[in-house]
Amino acid sequence: AFASYTLPLFAFSASLWLDRARSVLAGPTSALLLVALVLSTSATALAGLAAVFAILMGRSIASAMQRPGTMRTASFGVAAMACAAVLLALPVVAPLAALEWWEYLQAALFDKAASSSGQERMLWNMTALQNFIDTNWAGAGLGSARASSYPLVLLSNIGIGGFILFALFCVSVLGARTGWASARTQEDMDFACAIRAGKAGFAAVLISSALSATVYDLGLTVYLMAG
C-alpha cells in the first residue's frame, strides 16, 4: 500500500525535476521519496522503480532531441551510471556491505513469491482468472472478486467489456497532447510540464497496480493524476 501510494508521487516529482520545472522543490522531494521507496522493502516499490526509471529516461532522451538543453537527461544518465558503478565496486571495496545488500534484495524481492503472502496472492490470481472464465468473460460483478494484479481484478469483476473501456480511458490520458514541444512562454511550459508529470504519475499508478492491486478502486491518486 505504501509503495502504491508513493511511487506515483515520485514519478510526478521526478518528471518535474527532469523538465526543470520547480526544481528547488521537485529535486529534494524526488530524492526523499526514492529513499523511502528503497527502504520500504516492498517488491512493488523496487520493481516499480525500475519501470518508472526506464519510462522517464526514455521520455527524457526523446524530449532532449526535440528541445536540446531543456532537460536534465545528462544528469539523470550520470546518476544512473554512478549508481551502477557503486554497485559493481561494492563487493570488492566492502564485501560485508555487499552481502547485506544482497540479502536485503533476496528478502524484499526474490524470495517474495515463495513466501506465504506470495503463495496467497498467486491463489487470488488463479481464482480471479477462473472467475473470468466461468462467467464467460462477463465478470462476476463489481467487488465480487479480488486478485493481486489490477488487470485480473478488472477481468474478474467487470469482464472483457469493462477491461476494454478502462484501457481506452488509459490511452486517452496517456495520449493527451501536452503542448510541450510547441510551448513558447514560461506559463505554457509550466503547464506542459505539469501535464507531463501527471502522465508520469498516472503511468506509475498503472505499474504498481499491475504488480499488486487487489481491488478495483485504485484510490484518489490515480484520479488526481488523470485530472
Side-chain angles (χ1 to χ4, degrees):
F2 175 81
S4 298
Y5 185 83
T6 308
L7 189 65
L9 302 181
F10 167 76
F12 187 91
S13 58
S15 175
L16 289 177
W17 180 79
L18 282 171
D19 286 351
R20 297 182 182 273
R22 307 224 176 229
S23 300
V24 175
L25 290 174
T29 302
S30 303
L32 290 171
L33 291 172
L34 176 61
V35 171
L37 285 166
V38 172
L39 294 180
S40 70
T41 71
S42 166
T44 299
L46 297 177
L49 276 174
V52 168
F53 271 122
I55 291 172
L56 290 177
M57 190 61 181
R59 193 197 69 179
S60 183
I61 292 172
S63 299
M65 292 178 178
Q66 288 182 309
R67 301 185 68 153
T70 60
M71 307 295 297
R72 296 183 186 270
T73 308
S75 301
F76 194 83
V78 169
M81 288 188 290
C83 290
V86 169
L87 290 176
L88 290 173
L90 197 61
V92 178
V93 178
L96 290 179
L99 180 61
E100 290 181 359
W101 177 246
W102 175 250
E103 289 176 349
Y104 163 76
L105 284 179
Q106 282 218 296
L109 193 60
F110 303 125
D111 292 344
K112 283 287 178 73
S115 66
S116 58
S117 173
Q119 292 174 358
E120 182 181 28
R121 287 174 177 272
M122 189 62 66
L123 179 61
W124 289 355
N125 288 339
M126 294 171 60
T127 304
L129 184 59
Q130 190 62 48
N131 288 339
F132 172 64
I133 296 171
D134 290 344
T135 56
N136 296 318
W137 299 12
L142 208 57
S144 298
R146 70 165 54 203
S148 186
S149 177
Y150 198 65
L152 287 174
V153 171
L154 290 178
L155 290 173
S156 62
N157 279 253
I158 54 178
I160 191 67
F163 182 88
I164 291 173
L165 287 174
F166 183 79
L168 291 173
F169 165 66
C170 294
V171 170
S172 70
V173 172
L174 296 175
R177 294 174 62 86
T178 65
W180 185 84
S182 59
R184 294 293 177 262
T185 66
Q186 187 59 47
E187 184 179 3
D188 290 342
M189 180 62 77
D190 289 343
F191 187 69
C193 290
I195 296 175
R196 284 160 62 87
K199 283 188 177 187
F202 186 82
V205 171
L206 297 181
I207 291 168
S208 63
S209 63
L211 292 171
S212 60
T214 58
V215 293
Y216 62 87
D217 183 12
L218 292 176
L220 183 61
T221 308
V222 66
Y223 307 113
L224 289 172
M225 297 297 178

